[in-house]
Amino acid sequence: MISITVLALVFGVIFLAELPDKTALAGLVLGTRYRASYVFAGVAAAFTLHVVLAVAAGSALTLLPQRLVHALTGVLFLGGAAMLLLKKGDDEEEIRKPEDQSFWKVAGTGFMLILVAEFGDLTQIMTANLAARYDDPLSVGLGAVLGLWAVAGLGIVGGKALMKRVPLGLITKIAALVMLALGAWSLYEAVAR
């Protein structure tokens, strides 16, 4: 059974946290050079793999006592908020152009770029935290995948227009505030129980 509330919360948190990330910018760069559908296929596959790994790790945390899980996720959310607030400007990595523009070359480039860049990334850690927090792997996984895919789609197709209208600093601050609230709530639950 999928919880729409958990799915929507996870989608929002992951979407906001991923927008200012360098992988959103990498998707934008790839999308300007290659066929968008090919890029999205590779990027979406890599994000799906990351979410599966994160949800599995988070689900393993649910085997621990609830107080410990709440305290751990609270501290990790607060750390994630601090990372967002203290993050320096955007580093745009060099993206190599494949020799040909075939589906497998372009999708493979997108897949490998995201697979490497996102491993252990803030949104992967947040997804594991959310999976541990809500003990609803399907809703958390679906919300995280949809949030990451939405950012990838925006980055690939319309990232330039979005960045002109919404300052990256504002997006980062909103994501950090949401994470601060989730961290404070988790710590409160750890202490109150």
Side-chain angles (χ1 to χ4, degrees):
M1 186 62 86
I2 294 175
S3 167
I4 298 300
T5 305
V6 172
L7 188 147
L9 174 76
V10 172
F11 175 89
V13 168
I14 297 299
F15 181 85
L16 287 172
E18 188 64 24
L19 269 179
D21 195 69
K22 67 180 180 268
T23 52
L25 297 172
L28 179 129
V29 171
L30 284 171
T32 61
R33 294 182 182 179
Y34 309 113
R35 189 172 183 169
S37 60
Y38 292 4
V39 173
F40 185 78
V43 168
F47 276 136
T48 302
L49 178 58
H50 277 289
V51 168
V52 167
L53 294 173
V55 168
S59 295
L61 288 176
T62 62
L63 302 173
L64 298 173
Q66 279 299 99
R67 281 183 101 157
L68 181 61
V69 171
H70 287 304
L72 181 63
T73 57
V75 168
L76 289 172
F77 274 128
L78 293 176
M83 284 174 59
L84 281 176
L85 290 172
L86 300 173
K87 180 167 118 172
K88 304 251 188 234
D90 34 289
D91 306 324
E92 194 173 320
E93 293 182 20
E94 176 83 21
I95 298 169
R96 288 192 199 145
K97 185 173 182 175
E99 304 253 334
D100 65 56
Q101 300 251 345
S102 71
F103 172 80
W104 294 110
K105 291 284 186 180
V106 174
T109 299
F111 179 84
M112 290 308 296
L113 177 72
I114 298 302
L115 188 69
V116 171
E118 283 291 303
F119 207 81
D121 192 60
L122 177 63
T123 52
Q124 190 177 33
I125 293 167
M126 287 173 54
T127 301
N129 287 343
L130 289 163
R133 171 81 174 93
Y134 291 105
D135 194 19
D136 187 353
L138 186 57
S139 299
V140 170
L142 191 54
V145 164
L146 292 175
L148 291 167
W149 286 2
V151 171
L154 282 174
I156 292 166
V157 176
K160 288 180 185 175
L162 176 69
M163 294 306 174
K164 286 179 185 174
R165 289 187 169 79
V166 181
L168 192 58
L170 176 63
I171 294 167
T172 303
K173 287 177 184 167
I174 292 170
L177 287 174
V178 169
M179 290 177 66
L180 278 171
L182 285 169
W185 180 254
S186 292
L187 288 175
Y188 168 76
E189 285 192 334
V191 173
R193 289 187 176 193

